[in-house]
Every structure is written in C-alpha cells, then in structure tokens.
Amino acid sequence: MQDSNLNLNLKKDTVLPPKTRRLSRARWLFGSFVGLLLFSCVPLRTGRGEYTVCSHSDSIYTVDETRPRAQCITVLEGRITAIGDEADIRRHWLRNSHIFDLTGADVRFIKPNHIIVPGLADAHAHVLQQGYKMQLQLDGAQSVQEVVDRIKAYIIAHPDVHANTSRWIEGMGWDQTKWGEAFPTAADLSSDPLLHGRPIVLLRVDVHAAWVSERVLELMDPLPPDSKVEGGSIIRDASGKPTGIFVDNAMTLIPRPPWSPEQYVDFFDTAVAEALRYGLTSIHDAATDPDAVAFFKGVAAAGKLPIRLYLMAVPFSENFTDWEPSRVERLTNYGVHGRLNLRSVKLFTDGALGSWGAALISPYTDKPDTRGIMRNSPDIMGQLMRSTWKAEMQVNVHCIGDRANEVVLDIFEDIMANEALQGRPEISAFRPRIEHSQILQPADLERIGRLGVIASVQPTHATSDMWYAETRLGSERIKGAYAYRTLLEASWSKILPLGSDFPVEGVNPMLGFYAAVSRLSVDGRSPHGGGGWFPAEKLTRAQALKGMTLDAAYASFMENDLGSLTVGKRADFVVLDRNIMEVEPAEILQTKVAATVIDGKVAYGTLGGKSWW
C-alpha cells in the first residue's frame, strides 16, 4: 500500500523526467492493483458523482489556447472540474475525494482511435423546419418527374392522405438547378391522376420559393394583379397567368394550414434526435416565431429540452414599422435545465441566390432583367435595426447579395457612429451579426471585420452553390462570395461562427467541417478540381473546429460557459470515432459520434463502462 500512495507525496507542480515518470507510473499501477484487490468490496466513498474521461494519448481537443490538447477531463455536477494528463487528474481526485487510494474513482477510457472535442454548435439552423422537412423530402430529385414520383410514394404510404383528397400535402427540398434553370409549374403537379386536384405546396431547398399545385392556385384566387409583391414575386407565364411559383414575401399569400400541437412535438422530437446523433449540443434557431417560442418555453419548463437552443425572434407584426422589439420576451437560461435563451432578433433583407432573390448591386449575369429582391426597403431595415438595438437585443440580419450586405453594413456603421462605438472593442457588448454574409464587395469584406460585425456563415452553402454561383454572378463578382478565410482574417476579434442552415443543408456538422477545410463536394469534386473551389478561402481544421464551438458560443454570448473544454465551463463534449483533425479529408465524412454529452450527462451513445486506474 505504500507505493499506492506515491502521488500523495508529489508537489502540485512537480514535473518528473520521462524515465522517472515511467517507473513511478509502473509502481503506482501496481499499488493501485493491490488496492483494488484489498478494497474491491468497499463502496465508493466520494459520494460526489464525479467522473473522469481519458484518452490513451492527448486526444482531447479543448479549443482552449492555454492548453489546446489534453489526456483527461473530470466532470462534476455538469461542469468540468479538472483537465490535464493522468497525473494531474489523479492529484485532483486525491485532493478532493477524501480517500486514501483511487480504487473508487470513476474513470472511463475512450477507444485508442477516438477523440473528444467540445460540444458542437450549429450557429444558424431551423429546428422545427427540419422535422417538417422529414415528412416529404425532395432533396436530390433530379427531375420534375422524380418529385412527382416521391409525392405519389408518400400518398400511397399514408392511407389517411390517400383517402382524403382535400388533405394538404407539404414537402421541401426541390432545386430546379438539378434539372435545368427553369422553374417548375403547377401543371406539373397535376400530371399524374393520383396528384390531380390535391392541395400541394413544396418549398424550394432554400425556403425562399414555393411551388404549389393548381388546386392551391384555385384557393388563392384572386391573386394581386401585379407579379410584384412587396418584397416578393409571383412568377407568371407569357400570358400573365400564375405558374405556381411564389418567391420570398409572396409565399405568405399561400393559405397553408397551421401546425397542430402534435406536429410541433413530432417535428421537434425528430429534429433533436437527429441533432444529438450527430454531436450537436447547441443550436441557434435562426427565425423563431411567437408560436415556436411558446412551444420551446413549454418544453424547457417541463424539463424536456435535451439540447441548448439560442432563439432569434422574428417580427410578429404584419406592419413592420409598428413592430416593437422591446415587446420580445427575453429568456436567460430558461427552463428546468437552463438550456433555453432568447436575446436576439432575426431580420430579413433579401432572398436567396438559387431563386434569383439575392439582392445585387448589378443585374444577375444569367438573368440581366433582375437584381434580386429587397424584402424590406433600406428605410424599413434602418427602423427595424435601430429599434432592435435600442431594445438592447442582438441584431441578426439575413443578407445574401452584395446589395443587401452593403445596405445593412451602412446601417450598422451609422448606428455605431451615433453610439460612439465605431471600431471599438465595446461593440462586443452588442455582437451584431450578419447571417450568411454570402456575397460582398471587396470593400465590405474589409468593413464587416473593421466594424466588429460577426459574419455567421454556412460552409456547405459554398459547396452546394458552387456549380451555378459563378453563372449567376460572373467571374469578377464571384471573388467576393463565400469568402470565409477572408472574413475570418478581416475580423478584429477573429470570430467566424459556422452553421448549416438546416434543413436547407444536412444536419451533420461533419458536412460543414469537411466543406470548410476542403471546399469540395462530398464526392471530392469542385468546378476548380480536386484542390477545392477557390482554395485560398479554405479554413484550417483548427479554425473550423473553433467556428463550430467557441466562436458559435461567443456569437450567442455564452463563451464563458460553453465552446471549449476549460475548467469551470459546462461539460458539453462529443466523442468521435476518428481524429478529424488528422485524417484525410474524405474520411471526415465517415465520422460517427460515439457519445454526445450535455451538462455531463450522456444524451446520445455511451461513454463505456467504468475503468480502474
């Protein structure tokens, strides 16, 4: 037993030579083995619920610049209490357990090829819409006929829908760039007798356009006579007849039935289960309407929120100029587990590139009759942003096109000048965000960083759009698009939160990590070859991991509690089955999550059985 207490005699900061440490470790392990034999019938005496997770090498990536890698972390009551190598953790246990040996210590070793990273965050996603999309997925459909076939299969698989031709059918994910550039039509949804006469609404992959059936057009009659709707567009044929495509604000004309309480629960459960399976511990919900806020509050109050949510409230008044952001209820660590927060507002400036809705300064290269859509005028955007700022809510604005980004940066710059905040670190108290920051002029790429406006980006948008983006924008304008490395280097705070925008893209954060570091499609291709699309804009793996952890935490005011594996922070971490920081890029996509841990408790997978030191 004398040797088993060897570490009790080591001073806290003692560093032994490698050979001495090996001998000490061997003696210590022998003593621990003897202690195990002698005390195997003695119950655990700490009574603290503390446990340690170790790797067989320094395979814990902390995203803490003071100690980037570690061998072990210890958790108590949902927080990290110690981090270091085995010797550090043994000393921690002996100092705090009030026992004379470590035979009762709860220690788990991950597999040799596994790693641990901080809990992964998605800085821009749509939780309930992910569940909604899972009803009828249209992603990847290569033709209009394939969409029709998927709807037929859905009807046949749901007898209640099959028997009721008045039942609304809703789906999401179609993308006309997969089969050409022309939008589909309502008539296409009547081409099969099983679909004819049914109300069908299908959201485009970017959720900025909707394709409806002829029956829905009948229900909408009469429509506004002009194709232009304030902030949107009704697509019409040469004779002026609506084709069945509604873009951006025109989508609000569609009389879609409201979700039932059962649908809210189903959509939520479906999305959250998928998120946890992929290692997500935090999600920034990037457009939460009042009904959704009420739903999330109910879930959190009942102690049934297994993941952290940071909500961005959207305006709830039909007349935006009458909307008061001061009426938005703040939520701070709300609910039984304190996982629900709301302190931001989401505003929309323009549409999306794929549906020619992104607001551009010059006309589209492939459609010179349009410059896209400003969903709100610069004056209304100024009113909304200033009133949100005055209400001391974080201002998060959707901007895709260079015109939209320019307008919003002009407003932010004016606000900061009036508040005497321009160019000063004090802007970190407000943390304004531009969601997507997708297409910017060279001067605005510099300006967004100088002003301290956070660029919240989605790497998979680049690899999804790269096949048609240059066709839309031309060879010069494309150089300021999806410029993630440039945005990060321009940021004085070196913050670049990464998200997916699911359900627009996949939930799996490894898709975003892979896209950020490779700029390639999942099959290893790009318009510029195997080296990646505009490879100078690749992020390093360390930058990408930080963007999905600590930067996302900063963007939601949670960097003191989340985002890195640091003593005192919440014990949110993920065990991955391979080292994404070292494997070949293509292998990143094969990564599986062995365990997702939130507040120190396993929310998905397993940490394995207890081991003995």
Side-chain angles (χ1 to χ4, degrees), residues 158-466:
H158 295 80
D160 55 336
V161 177
H162 192 293
N164 185 357
T165 58
S166 65
R167 176 87 169 263
W168 280 71
I169 296 173
E170 301 188 52
M172 179 184 165
W174 62 271
D175 181 357
Q176 84 284 358
T177 67
K178 301 291 185 184
W179 61 71
E181 288 299 319
F183 277 134
T185 68
D188 293 325
L189 296 178
S190 297
S191 60
D192 190 281
L194 189 58
L195 275 61
H196 185 75
R198 294 178 182 268
I200 303 171
V201 56
L202 309 174
L203 301 181
R204 192 182 183 277
V205 62
D206 57 17
V207 202
H208 284 270
W211 170 18
V212 305
S213 64
E214 292 178 318
R215 176 57 182 149
V216 173
L217 287 177
E218 291 172 3
L219 295 172
M220 297 174 69
D221 190 55
L223 286 167
D226 192 353
S227 295
K228 294 295 182 182
V229 174
E230 187 68 30
S233 179
I234 303 170
I235 305 301
R236 298 176 184 271
D237 62 20
S239 67
K241 181 181 178 181
T243 65
I245 297 294
F246 296 80
V247 181
D248 288 313
N249 289 358
M251 295 165 61
T252 61
L253 299 173
I254 303 170
R256 295 161 58 190
W259 293 347
S260 68
E262 293 76 19
Q263 284 179 303
Y264 271 96
V265 172
D266 179 55
F267 296 163
F268 173 78
D269 288 347
T270 299
V272 169
E274 189 174 12
L276 293 172
R277 179 164 62 93
Y278 285 125
L280 288 173
T281 60
S282 301
I283 299 173
H284 301 189
D285 195 63
T288 319
D289 64 37
D291 289 341
V293 172
F295 172 77
F296 289 135
K297 283 183 64 180
V299 172
K304 297 181 179 180
L305 186 60
I307 199 167
R308 301 189 195 282
L309 294 182
Y310 181 74
L311 309 182
M312 305 181 199
V314 290
F316 50 82
S317 170
E318 292 185 5
N319 185 349
F320 287 158
T321 57
D322 294 336
W323 179 68
E324 285 293 337
S326 60
R327 293 162 53 195
V328 175
E329 179 185 8
R330 283 175 175 265
L331 301 173
T332 303
N333 298 332
Y334 181 87
V336 173
H337 301 108
R339 294 174 182 165
L340 186 64
N341 284 274
L342 193 168
R343 60 171 298 173
S344 64
V345 167
K346 170 75 176 296
L347 305 173
F348 289 86
T349 308
D350 64 343
L353 188 68
S355 49
W356 295 277
L360 302 181
I361 294 171
S362 299
Y364 278 82
T365 302
D366 63 341
K367 197 171 185 180
D369 61 338
T370 184
R371 300 185 184 191
I373 295 171
M374 285 290 285
R375 296 179 64 178
N376 288 303
S377 69
D379 287 343
I380 290 178
M381 284 305 303
Q383 293 177 46
L384 290 170
M385 290 170 63
R386 288 181 177 87
S387 61
T388 302
W389 192 288
K390 185 178 180 181
E392 298 183 350
M393 299 286 281
Q394 184 186 40
V395 185
N396 302 344
V397 190
H398 164 110
C399 296
I400 299 287
D402 53 7
R403 169 64 174 154
N405 279 284
E406 179 185 61
V407 166
V408 168
L409 285 172
D410 284 348
I411 297 168
F412 274 137
E413 188 164 24
D414 183 66
I415 291 172
M416 293 177 199
N418 290 334
E419 298 287 338
L421 290 172
Q422 186 173 354
R424 299 183 182 184
E426 286 88 339
I427 193 62
S428 65
F430 298 89
R431 304 187 192 183
R433 293 169 54 164
I434 290 184
E435 303 300 312
H436 307 304
S437 303
Q438 200 160 294
I439 306 158
L440 290 90
Q441 303 168 89
D444 283 340
L445 284 168
E446 180 276 330
R447 181 165 61 146
I448 189 173
R450 171 170 50 82
L451 292 176
V453 175
I454 296 171
S456 172
V457 302
Q458 300 74 46
T460 45
H461 281 350
T463 52
S464 291
D465 297 356
M466 63 185 175

Side-chain angles (χ1 to χ4, degrees), residues 99-111:
I99 59 176
F100 296 105
D101 61 78
L102 297 178
T103 59
D106 185 349
V107 184
R108 299 135 193 264
F109 279 82
I110 62 174
K111 293 181 180 180

Side-chain angles (χ1 to χ4, degrees), residues 122-156:
D122 193 313
H124 184 114
H126 305 275
V127 175
L128 296 173
Q129 287 74 15
Q130 175 64 24
Y132 168 90
K133 176 184 180 178
M134 300 299 282
Q135 300 176 105
L136 175 55
Q137 300 180 70
L138 304 176
D139 306 74
Q142 298 296 310
S143 66
V144 170
Q145 184 58 49
E146 185 174 348
V147 172
V148 170
D149 290 342
R150 291 194 193 186
I151 299 171
K152 287 176 61 179
Y154 171 82
I155 294 172
I156 294 169

